[in-house]
């Protein structure tokens, strides 16, 4: 209990707003809150939303929906981790409704993950363990907001070690 209190105190010292963020035990709870905030009747836009997901296990972070059943989630996970997939899987799951080029994060992903892990193994308190999400095939100087491949929902992930666990 004392260790937990020390961690919370450290968070407040280094990131005081962190303690004020909404906290969710599962991604389903977080997803439900986001759906509530963007429900019909509003403009469906939330800027700079941030929350803490406390459990990063596979079960707690998996949210199946009508658009993204388990098989589609599995496909996109393997696709974006540069794993082998079949043409049949691409035809079945890679659709414009599921993000099209906007959902393509795979370019160099294995190398970027290895780099972030190496950073944290070498310097466990580093703030440089990040995984940037690239444009599909061009640099930032050629960005065009009309191109879904360049306007990804997620731009980068920052990784850190807390209580001996990889956190994001």
């Amino acid at each position: 209990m004392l260790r937990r209190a020390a961690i919370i105190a450290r968070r407040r010292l280094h990131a005081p707003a962190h303690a004020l963020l909404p906290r969710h035990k599962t991604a389903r709870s977080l997803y439900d809150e986001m759906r509530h905030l963007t429900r019909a009747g509003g403009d469906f836009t939330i800027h700079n939303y941030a929350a803490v997901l406390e459990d990063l296990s596979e079960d707690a972070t998996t949210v199946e929906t009508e658009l993204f059943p388990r098989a589609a989630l599995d496909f996109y996970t393997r696709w974006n981790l540069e794993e082998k997939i079949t043409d049949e899987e691409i035809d079945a799951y890679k659709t414009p409704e599921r993000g099209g080029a906007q959902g393509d994060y795979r370019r160099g992903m294995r190398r970027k993950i290895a780099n972030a892990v190496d950073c944290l193994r070498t310097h466990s308190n580093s703030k440089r363990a990040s995984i940037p999400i690239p444009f599909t095939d061009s640099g930032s100087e050629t960005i065009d907001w009309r191109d879904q491949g360049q306007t990804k929902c997620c731009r980068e992930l920052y990784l850190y070690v807390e209580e001996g666990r990889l956190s994001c």
Side-chain angles (χ1 to χ4, degrees):
M1 186 68 164
L2 241 77
R3 181 182 165 106
R4 180 91 175 127
I7 289 167
I8 291 169
R10 190 178 78 223
R11 280 184 189 150
R12 287 188 182 133
L13 176 64
H14 297 291
H18 187 273
L20 302 175
L21 292 174
R23 302 184 85 76
H24 297 274
K25 292 213 177 286
T26 67
R28 171 52 75 178
S29 169
L30 176 60
Y31 175 79
D32 290 345
E33 179 182 53
M34 290 168 43
R35 295 291 296 173
H36 175 76
L37 292 171
T38 59
R39 69 190 174 278
D43 73 359
F44 305 104
T45 304
I46 302 292
H47 293 286
N48 301 317
Y49 178 84
V52 175
L53 186 57
E54 295 176 337
D55 183 351
L56 294 179
S57 68
E58 182 177 351
D59 285 341
T61 59
T62 301
V63 178
E64 291 185 71
T65 65
E66 187 176 318
L67 185 58
F68 284 97
R70 178 70 73 159
L73 293 170
D74 177 65
F75 164 79
Y76 273 97
T77 298
R78 290 183 296 113
W79 169 263
N80 285 313
L81 288 175
E82 302 177 299
E83 293 181 3
K84 278 195 175 273
I85 52 169
T86 66
D87 290 339
E88 292 79 21
E89 288 176 305
I90 292 172
D91 292 342
Y93 300 115
K94 194 167 187 314
T95 65
E97 296 81 17
R98 291 189 177 118
Q102 192 174 34
D104 187 352
Y105 301 123
R106 73 185 186 280
R107 188 173 174 191
M109 188 57 74
R110 291 232 175 241
R111 193 170 58 252
K112 289 186 281 190
I113 291 170
N115 180 64
V117 169
D118 179 58
C119 175
L120 291 172
R121 283 185 173 148
T122 305
H123 303 286
S124 62
N125 288 325
S126 178
K127 293 183 179 181
R128 295 182 179 183
S130 63
I131 298 175
I133 306 301
F135 299 142
T136 304
D137 58 8
S138 58
S140 60
E141 70 279 359
T142 62
I143 191 166
D144 181 347
W145 68 271
R146 293 172 289 261
D147 182 341
Q148 282 189 11
Q150 294 183 350
T151 53
K152 310 238 186 257
C153 296
C154 179
R155 301 296 180 159
E156 54 201 351
L157 300 173
Y158 291 95
L159 306 176
Y160 59 96
V161 176
E162 184 174 84
E163 296 183 54
R165 294 178 18 201
L166 182 63
S167 301
C168 180

